[in-house]
Amino acid sequence: EKAVNLKKDLAEMQEWMTQAEEEYLEKDFEYKSPEELENAVEEMKRAKEDVLQKEVRVKILKDSIKLLATKVPSSGHDLATELNVVLENYQLLCNRIRGKCHTLEEVWSCWIELLQYLDLETAWLNNLEERVLMTENLPDKLDVVNDALESLESVLRHPADNRTQIRELGQTLIDGGILDDIISEKLEAFNAHYEELSHLAVSRQIALEQQLQTMRETDHMLQVLQENLVDLDRQLTSYLTDRVDAFQMPQEAQ
C-alpha cells in the first residue's frame, strides 16, 4: 500500500510539472504594453516561488522511497527509477523557470532604464530650447551677446552617452519584439525633437559667433578711429598753440 501511494504521488508530481511547463514555458507571450510586460514579470515570479516550494514535497518523496527501499527492495527499486525521472524533470523545470524569470526581469529593467534616459535627455532638450529662446532679440551689446553664446555652448557640450544608451536599449527591446510599437513611437518623437532643436541651436550658435565677431571688429575700428582722433586733436592743438599758419601744415592737417 505504501508503494502504491508513493507511486501515485510521483505520478501527481509529474502531472503537476507538465501543467506548469505548459502554463509558464510553452505559451507564446506578446508584450505590446508596459502593463502586459509587468504582469508577465509578476506571474513568472509567482511561478518561480510556486515551483521552488515543491522542493519540500520532492524531498519528502525522495526520503520516503529510500526508506521503502531499505524495507522492500523490490518495490523500492522500481520507485527509485521513477523518482530519478521526476527529480531530473523537476530540476530542469526549476532551471527553465528561473531562467525565464531572470530574462523577463532583465527586460523590465531595460524598459525602465530606457524611460529614465529618455526623461534625462528630454529635460536636457527643454533646457536647450530655453537657452535658444534666450538668444533672440538680444541688445546690441558685446558682453550680452558673449554671455548668451557661452551659455548656449555650455548646454551644447552635453555628452552623447545618454543618446547612445537610448538607441541601444530601444533597439534591444525592439529586436526582441518587446513593446516595439510603443518604443518605436517614443524614439521617433525623441529623435525628431532632438534633430530639429540641435540644428536650430547650432544655427543660433553660428549666428551669435558671427555677430560677436562683427561687433568686435566694429569695436576695434572705433577704438582705432578714436585713437587717431585723439592724436589729430593733440597735433592740431600744438599747431594752434604755436600759431602755425594753416598753409604751413601738412596736407592732412589742413
Side-chain angles (χ1 to χ4, degrees):
E1 183 181 354
K2 181 69 173 176
V4 171
N5 289 335
L6 288 172
K7 188 177 183 66
K8 181 181 177 182
D9 290 340
L10 285 172
E12 289 177 352
M13 185 66 188
Q14 183 59 57
E15 182 181 357
W16 175 86
M17 287 190 294
T18 301
Q19 291 175 350
E21 186 172 352
E22 292 174 354
E23 183 175 357
Y24 300 124
L25 298 174
E26 294 183 0
K27 286 195 302 186
D28 291 328
F29 293 97
E30 287 189 4
Y31 311 113
K32 295 300 181 182
S33 72
E35 292 76 19
E36 289 180 359
L37 177 58
E38 186 175 18
N39 290 338
V41 172
E42 294 304 317
E43 181 182 3
M44 195 52 58
K45 284 181 180 178
R46 290 191 296 270
K48 185 173 73 170
E49 292 174 1
D50 190 21
V51 170
L52 293 178
Q53 285 174 359
K54 290 293 189 292
E55 188 174 0
V56 176
R57 184 180 178 186
V58 171
K59 188 177 185 306
I60 292 173
L61 278 172
K62 184 178 179 181
D63 292 342
S64 298
I65 291 173
K66 282 184 177 180
L67 181 60
L68 179 65
T70 60
K71 296 179 179 179
V72 186
S74 58
S75 299
H77 177 73
D78 293 338
L79 288 173
T81 301
E82 293 184 34
L83 174 66
N84 288 335
V85 174
V86 170
L87 290 176
E88 184 178 343
N89 290 341
Y90 175 73
Q91 192 59 52
L92 179 61
L93 180 64
C94 288
N95 292 340
R96 291 181 65 191
I97 285 184
R98 268 195 294 256
K100 185 167 184 178
C101 185
H102 176 73
T103 298
L104 283 177
E105 287 176 329
E106 287 290 311
V107 168
W108 178 253
S109 176
C110 190
W111 163 248
I112 296 300
E113 193 175 3
L114 174 62
L115 292 181
Q116 291 172 343
Y117 278 116
L118 281 172
D119 286 343
L120 285 173
E121 287 304 283
T122 299
W124 172 74
L125 283 175
N126 292 338
N127 187 24
L128 179 61
E129 186 172 16
E130 182 180 337
R131 297 298 176 92
V132 170
L133 291 175
M134 289 171 61
T135 64
E136 297 179 356
N137 303 319
L138 293 174
D140 199 21
K141 294 182 179 180
L142 190 64
D143 57 341
V144 174
V145 175
N146 186 64
D147 289 346
L149 177 60
E150 289 182 353
S151 177
L152 180 59
E153 287 177 336
S154 68
V155 180
L156 284 172
R157 282 193 290 269
H158 182 70
D161 296 354
N162 288 351
R163 293 195 298 281
T164 300
Q165 289 292 331
I166 288 172
R167 184 176 62 254
E168 291 179 353
L169 289 168
Q171 196 60 52
T172 297
L173 290 169
I174 290 173
D175 288 345
I178 313 272
L179 309 178
D180 45 354
D181 292 338
I182 292 176
I183 292 172
S184 295
E185 183 179 341
K186 281 183 176 292
L187 294 186
E188 184 177 347
F190 169 77
N191 289 330
H193 189 198
Y194 171 78
E195 292 297 329
E196 178 185 2
L197 195 53
S198 60
H199 287 161
L200 177 60
V202 170
S203 297
R204 290 298 301 150
Q205 179 188 20
I206 294 172
L208 287 173
E209 289 172 346
Q210 293 174 342
Q211 182 181 358
L212 196 60
Q213 180 66 23
T214 301
M215 292 175 71
R216 283 172 174 162
E217 290 174 355
T218 302
D219 189 61
H220 177 69
M221 290 173 61
L222 289 174
Q223 185 178 355
V224 170
L225 179 59
Q226 182 66 32
E227 291 172 354
N228 288 338
L229 288 173
V230 170
D231 289 341
L232 180 59
D233 181 67
R234 187 183 301 111
Q235 188 175 16
L236 289 174
T237 300
S238 69
Y239 289 157
L240 291 173
T241 302
D242 295 339
R243 299 181 181 277
V244 176
D245 187 272
F247 291 105
Q248 295 174 322
M249 296 181 184
Q251 184 67 34
E252 66 273 10
Q254 294 181 31

